[in-house]
Each structure stands twice: as C-alpha cells, then as structure tokens.
Amino acid sequence: MTPQEFIAKWRHVELKERSASQSHFNDLCRLLGVDDPVTADPKGEWFTFEKGASKTSGGEGWADVWRKGHFAWEYKGPKKDLDRAFAQLLQYAIALENPPLLITSDTDRIRIHTNWTNTVQRVYDLSLDDLADGSKRDLLRAAFTDPEKLRPTKTRQSLTEDAAAHFANLALRLRGRGHDAEEVAHFVNRLIFCMFAEDVGLLPDKMFARMIKAGRSKPEGFAALASTLFAAMQSGGMVGFEQVEWFNGGLFDSEAALPLDW
C-alpha cells in the first residue's frame, strides 16, 4: 500500500473504534512493509490483537494491539481523547511486560509515548498526512522493528540536575538584585511546586507553561501574571476563564511574585 493510497482511504473514515481499529492497523502494517499480527504470529503469543491484561487499579481489560518487547497500542474513535487512551495503557503496562512504547491512535492521529525506566518520556505525534513523509514512516516502522531507535537519551537524573542548576542560577540572580534570601527561596519554591502541580494535572490545561511562555515574550509583565496565579492558588479562583483550586498549606500565603528578566 502506498502512502497516498493509505491517506486517501482513511481521510474521511468515521467508523467507531471497534469497527475500524484492526482494519486500520493491518493497513498500517502494509504501508510500513511489516507483517500484521495474524501473519507474524498465528498463535498470538507475542504479537496479537486484543491482548488481555490486568489493570493496576483492579479488574481486567485489554490492549487493542500488543507486540512483546515493542509496544502496547490503544485505539480510540475519531476525535476522541488520546490522553485517556494513554491512561488506560498505563494501567495495563505491567501486565503487558512493561513495553518500551505505549502508542495511542485514532484513524487520523498516532501518538507514540516512550516508556523506558529512568528516562525522560518523549512523545512523537504523527498526523495522517505525516505518513506521506518517509522519515515519519521510518520512525513509526522502528516501533515494529527496532524500538531502541526511539529511546530518549536524557535520563530523569540528568533532567533533575539541569533543573536544579537553573533554579539555583535564578536564585543567585534574584539575590544579586537585592531581594531578601528568604523571599527568593519562597518564590523559587512556588515555581517548583507549580511545575509539579501542572505535571500531575492539578493546574489545568498547561496553565503554568503558558504563563512562562507569555512571560518570556513580555518579561515586564511576568510578576503580574505570577501574582494572579498565586492569588488563585492561595484561595481558589479564576485565572482567565479557567478555575484554579485552593492549595492548602503556607506556600501560597500571599500573591507576591518577584520580577524576572529571563
């Protein structure tokens, strides 16, 4: 199957997940020049559709496709939430021998999440039109033939060390401008907590990352943006049109924020 044939076939398909997923996956195999699960493994021992798995939260489920030592793959219907599909795969991962790649998709999108222990997760997003690009097909083919090509080089330890160095440098710069040491430490701790809160979903819709991006483009307005967020976290409230919940404890005891010049 050529990329053009694949894209033309699947561009306007609106079938539900159950109706489309196996046909879509088999066509992907033909596009990539790899054997489909039934051809490669007729007994379903290491490459199969609907691989049963126990959830870490209890109960039973299945991954839509599983290839031992390579990936678990979860389909959703058109325009459905692929983040939810990823959350499902995380519940199955241990029972599926913790594959190095967790892949979610519908017929328009494919999202590859790396899942190696002690590495910083990387996500590869591929659209239907991306499959016309030979380099993007090679990336997806590697999931079937050589997943090590997708292994991130950065470890969690090195990321932590880099972040610690950046925050230490930030604190030194703020102290150099005459700000009190305790005030600087309190401010930096707030920034670190905001990163954590966003990472675990306590701050909605990448709010903190968007605030940092806005502050980079207009540094003179950063303190006001941070104060708005800190005030909402202090007692619960709105930031723009988004609700921020109240965060207990003394970290957000005021809305005070220090200016940054990046």
Side-chain angles (χ1 to χ4, degrees):
M1 176 174 271
T2 69
Q4 292 72 29
E5 290 170 340
F6 182 90
I7 293 168
K9 175 177 179 177
W10 290 101
R11 185 176 298 284
H12 301 296
V13 170
E14 296 183 4
L15 295 172
K16 294 182 178 180
E17 171 194 343
R18 178 71 59 181
S19 302
S21 58
Q22 292 190 14
S23 177
H24 181 267
F25 189 85
N26 285 333
D27 277 355
L28 269 180
C29 290
R30 284 190 281 273
L31 171 66
L32 299 173
V34 298
D35 286 341
D36 63 80
V38 174
T39 301
D41 181 18
K43 295 183 178 180
E45 295 174 337
W46 55 270
F47 189 16
T48 186
F49 292 113
E50 298 192 1
K51 175 65 174 179
S54 299
K55 300 178 183 179
T56 54
S57 59
E60 298 296 318
W62 62 84
D64 289 324
V65 196
W66 172 72
R67 185 176 177 116
K68 183 176 181 178
H70 289 66
F71 58 74
W73 193 306
E74 185 73 18
Y75 272 91
K76 285 294 179 187
K79 307 298 189 291
K80 296 294 184 179
D81 187 356
L82 294 188
D83 289 334
R84 185 176 178 183
F86 177 60
Q88 288 179 245
L89 284 179
L90 288 174
Q91 293 190 62
Y92 306 148
I94 294 176
L96 296 172
E97 303 178 34
N98 212 29
L101 302 174
L102 301 177
I103 304 176
T104 60
S105 74
D106 57 21
T107 54
D108 291 320
R109 301 165 294 165
I110 299 172
R111 189 172 296 167
I112 304 171
H113 300 254
T114 63
N115 188 46
W116 277 273
T117 302
N118 196 37
T119 62
V120 178
Q121 185 189 82
R122 183 167 182 182
V123 180
Y124 300 90
D125 275 300
L126 303 176
S127 68
L128 181 61
D129 287 327
D130 283 336
L131 297 178
D133 183 332
S135 65
K136 299 293 179 65
R137 294 197 304 277
D138 286 344
L139 186 150
L140 183 58
R141 187 181 294 107
F144 290 79
T145 61
D146 189 6
E148 283 292 323
K149 289 182 178 178
L150 281 69
R151 182 194 284 267
T153 57
K154 188 177 263 313
T155 66
R156 293 185 184 277
Q157 180 179 347
S158 65
L159 181 66
T160 301
E161 290 171 350
D162 288 347
H166 282 298
F167 279 115
N169 181 258
L170 172 62
L172 288 172
R173 287 163 54 199
L174 290 171
R175 288 286 289 124
R177 293 181 204 144
H179 295 291
D180 177 75
E182 185 174 341
E183 182 185 27
V184 169
H186 197 51
F187 175 63
V188 171
N189 283 339
R190 287 177 170 186
L191 296 180
I192 294 171
F193 182 85
C194 286
M195 291 176 62
F196 162 77
E198 182 166 280
D199 191 49
V200 298
L202 297 176
L203 286 177
D205 196 23
K206 304 295 183 184
M207 178 180 290
F208 183 67
R210 289 188 287 121
M211 184 191 80
I212 295 295
K213 184 177 181 180
R216 280 187 174 276
S217 63
K218 293 185 177 179
E220 67 278 5
F222 174 80
L225 294 173
S227 291
T228 301
L229 177 58
F230 294 167
M233 296 175 79
Q234 180 185 9
S235 56
M238 301 294 290
V239 176
F241 294 100
E242 296 168 292
Q243 176 67 35
V244 174
E245 301 301 326
W246 165 58
F247 287 79
N248 196 4
L251 187 58
F252 297 95
D253 52 1
S254 75
E255 63 187 60
L258 299 180
L260 297 180
D261 63 3
W262 310 103

